[in-house]
Amino acid sequence: MATKTAIQAVKGTRDFYPEAMAFRNWLYGKIRAISERFGYQEYEAPILERLELYAAKSGEELVKEQSFVLKDRGGDELALRPELTPSLARMIAQRQASLVLPVRWYSFGPFWRYERPQRGRTREFFQWNIDLLGSDSPTADGEIVSIGAEFLRSVGLTPDEVVIRLNSRRLMEQKLAEIGIGAEQRLEVFHLIDRRDRMPPDKWQAWALEMGLSAGQLDALTALLGDSELWRESEELQQVFATAEALGVADYLTYDASIVRGLDYYTGPVFEAYDRGRTLRAIFGGGRYDNLVADVGGDRIPGVGFAMGDVIIELLLERVGKRPKLPTTPSRALVTLFSADLYGQTLALAASLRRAGINVEQYLEPERLSKQVRYADRKGIPWVVILGPDEVAAGRVVLKELASGEQRSCTPAEAIELLKAGQVEHASSPV
RNA sequence: GUGGAUGUAGCUCAAAGGCAGAGCACCGGUCUGUGGAACCGGUUGUUGCGGGUUCGACCCCCGUCAUCCACCCCA
């Protein structure tokens, strides 16, 4: 395409044209509705943070390879946030004395990772974070997982299409210890487990042996990962499942011993949501992090939460045919301009409709009515209001509904009633 | 960061070294008080960008940028 645009958008960013913005705001509306249904409060953190905030616990890869790093004028190293949880931990630590625990917070905003863009992966993405801090109880984990399930349900995804795979790092630590894998090897082995179905089996085994596992340990580990009944040995996992069962979302959950998550700060139950065919990356993922607040300088305040990016969920909804068709114009009606001499009366009519709470767009030139109606049709505006000489003489307007093609002559007051009836909140304004 | 593929009209794609095209979309008209259909007509381009080879380059070569795919990593 020959474009004369000299300045390109930053690699990996997306321009949100109104159609895309309508989807983003629809998603935001679903997120907000589910979060608040469970009593979570909305918050936001800075997009720029000190790099060292992530050095604390996020994992080396995330900090060194995937962060957008820049220096401020004082020479301090800053990063465009690659995730929210460390910022959340900092905010909690700063207010720990005055917060009423447990805290239930959620957020939806932009994040950055310096990766090579491709389908389903951008450098700037939007992410929903939802966290519950201040409770050690597995019912907190159960609540968080269930919120994820309720969200999936709310966007129309069924247990036939998606599944949340659940495990516990605590349980895995115990099982690893039983086969002789101690604390010093634990994180490394978690990374090994995390990557199992993303590598060819022979390479995966070679890697395992390379990090010092014996052939016997490798066999035992492989057996562990295939054991779908392992969760019965974990009281906390039993409680998580029981909570989800009681909340009516158990059909979205399954146990999977191979889920351990890549980030280093998880300490207890962990989970990831996938499409059933597992054709896409994880829809969301999260778990329990009991030491993170202490790690950024606060008291020990345990937490559990998850994060969901906007890119994969959109891709999945598209793929299963459940991406909603959203109106892109907020306009409820187009007020046509019949002729130049009616300009004043036409604008006054539009103004009176707006003051009555109706979203009204005004056609600016007295062009042929066919052009004006056509414009409304193509823009997706459902109603057209016509004020011509006949209407002015009678003190009435003509109201036409495009979908049905029906029209009627009525007084301005009646027009207001008709236009208000069934006027829905536009999708681009979050609920 | 590594490997591979692709860049031609707004979109989807032709043109295989010899005049840059089609469908859809768009604009106008048939139709100066009414959209979607039909018919008629029209516009659509620095062939991503820069260089090279050639009498001649969308086509071949080099570079570059962008997009896509696979690694990597993860939302």
Side-chain angles (χ1 to χ4, degrees):
Chain A
M1 170 174 52
T3 176
K4 286 183 180 165
T5 308
I7 300 175
Q8 291 171 330
V10 173
K11 188 186 183 92
T13 61
R14 289 168 291 169
D15 292 326
F16 285 88
Y17 288 87
E19 306 78 49
M21 201 64 203
F23 177 83
R24 189 172 114 193
N25 278 323
W26 172 84
L27 185 67
Y28 191 8
K30 292 290 181 187
I31 284 167
R32 178 172 287 178
I34 291 296
S35 303
E36 297 189 350
R37 185 127 316 145
F38 281 80
Y40 285 65
Q41 298 170 287
E42 188 166 14
Y43 73 103
E44 179 61 294
I47 313 242
L48 269 179
E49 291 278 12
R50 298 181 163 282
L51 183 62
E52 67 218 52
L53 177 67
Y54 306 104
K57 272 281 180 173
S58 296
E60 296 218 342
E61 179 84 25
L62 192 60
V63 177
K64 288 186 183 160
E65 307 289 338
Q66 295 179 243
S67 295
F68 267 88
V69 179
L70 50 129
K71 280 197 170 123
D72 72 9
R73 295 188 181 185
D76 287 348
E77 280 194 309
L78 306 178
L80 289 172
R81 62 183 188 188
E83 60 161 339
L84 188 62
T85 311
S87 303
L88 169 64
R90 194 200 64 229
M91 287 171 69
I92 295 288
Q94 282 170 6
R95 287 262 177 106
Q96 59 190 13
S98 58
L99 288 171
V100 179
L101 298 179
V103 158
R104 288 181 165 94
W105 286 5
Y106 78 96
S107 183
F108 181 72
F111 293 84
W112 293 78
R113 288 194 190 166
Y114 201 93
E115 296 191 277
R116 189 126 162 194
Q118 55 188 266
R119 189 162 195 77
R121 184 209 285 170
T122 58
R123 287 184 170 180
E124 185 196 42
F125 55 95
F126 284 74
Q127 197 179 65
W128 174 30
N129 280 260
I130 184 160
D131 293 87
L132 195 165
L133 293 108
S135 170
D136 282 309
S137 168
T139 54
D141 303 77
E143 174 171 308
I144 284 288
V145 170
S146 299
I147 289 170
E150 285 292 358
F151 167 81
L152 294 172
R153 194 203 302 279
S154 79
V155 296
L157 293 168
T158 67
D160 289 338
E161 292 162 333
V162 290
V163 61
I164 302 172
R165 302 173 185 278
L166 183 66
N167 192 17
S168 166
R169 278 201 170 187
R170 241 188 297 272
L171 171 64
M172 293 310 283
E173 284 170 16
Q174 178 195 325
K175 301 309 288 184
L176 291 180
E178 284 173 18
I179 60 176
I181 297 172
E184 69 290 343
Q185 262 191 310
R186 193 181 289 148
L187 278 181
E188 201 179 7
V189 173
F190 280 161
H191 282 130
L192 177 74
I193 296 171
D194 188 48
R195 248 161 270 182
R196 183 161 78 137
D197 29 84
R198 286 177 272 179
M199 294 177 72
D202 52 323
K203 280 200 175 165
W204 186 79
Q205 288 170 11
W207 184 26
L209 298 174
E210 197 179 309
M211 68 176 62
L213 299 194
S214 68
Q217 284 177 322
L218 182 54
D219 286 346
L221 178 61
T222 306
L224 265 186
L225 298 183
D227 186 349
S228 60
E229 298 300 315
L230 210 57
W231 63 277
R232 295 184 191 281
E233 298 181 31
S234 163
E235 189 148 336
E236 67 176 352
L237 282 180
Q238 289 179 36
Q239 287 188 52
V240 174
F241 279 116
T243 301
E245 176 79 41
L247 290 174
V249 295
D251 47 351
Y252 279 94
L253 293 188
T254 190
Y255 176 75
D256 187 334
S258 68
I259 298 294
V260 293
R261 307 282 297 148
L263 295 176
D264 292 345
Y265 51 65
Y266 291 113
T267 55
V270 287
F271 54 91
E272 293 176 348
Y274 287 93
D275 64 296
R276 280 281 179 185
R278 216 160 172 173
T279 56
L280 298 169
R281 290 178 7 257
I283 303 164
F284 59 72
R288 173 167 286 276
Y289 49 91
D290 284 345
N291 305 323
L292 194 55
V293 176
D295 287 338
V296 298
D299 294 340
R300 178 187 176 277
I301 298 179
V304 55
F306 69 82
M308 180 189 79
D310 65 319
V311 180
I312 292 296
I313 188 73
E314 181 171 10
L315 210 53
L316 176 59
L317 287 169
E318 183 79 50
R319 202 165 284 191
V320 299
K322 289 183 175 174
R323 190 183 186 284
K325 291 161 198 69
L326 301 165
T328 59
T329 174
S331 295
R332 179 71 171 160
L334 175 74
V335 173
T336 57
L337 179 58
F338 192 88
S339 55
D341 58 303
L342 292 180
Y343 193 66
Q345 288 164 87
T346 300
L347 261 60
L349 170 64
S352 69
L353 295 174
R354 293 188 186 114
R355 285 188 195 112
I358 299 160
N359 296 344
V360 166
E361 191 169 336
Q362 172 71 58
Y363 206 90
L364 294 174
E365 306 289 338
E367 294 182 286
R368 306 166 40 169
L369 263 187
S370 63
K371 271 192 83 168
Q372 301 191 37
V373 174
R374 187 168 148 83
Y375 169 82
D377 180 45
R378 300 175 66 185
K379 204 101 183 265
I381 303 171
W383 294 84
V384 169
V385 180
I386 299 166
L387 184 69
D390 299 346
E391 287 73 31
V392 170
R396 303 175 77 83
V397 300
V398 164
L399 199 54
K400 173 168 181 145
E401 185 181 26
L402 291 190
S404 64
E406 286 170 17
Q407 67 180 56
R408 65 166 73 184
S409 170
C410 57
T411 67
E414 290 166 342
I416 286 170
E417 288 316 304
L418 281 165
L419 289 172
K420 284 183 90 164
Q423 176 174 246
V424 290
E425 197 69 29
H426 177 56
S428 73
S429 41
V431 185

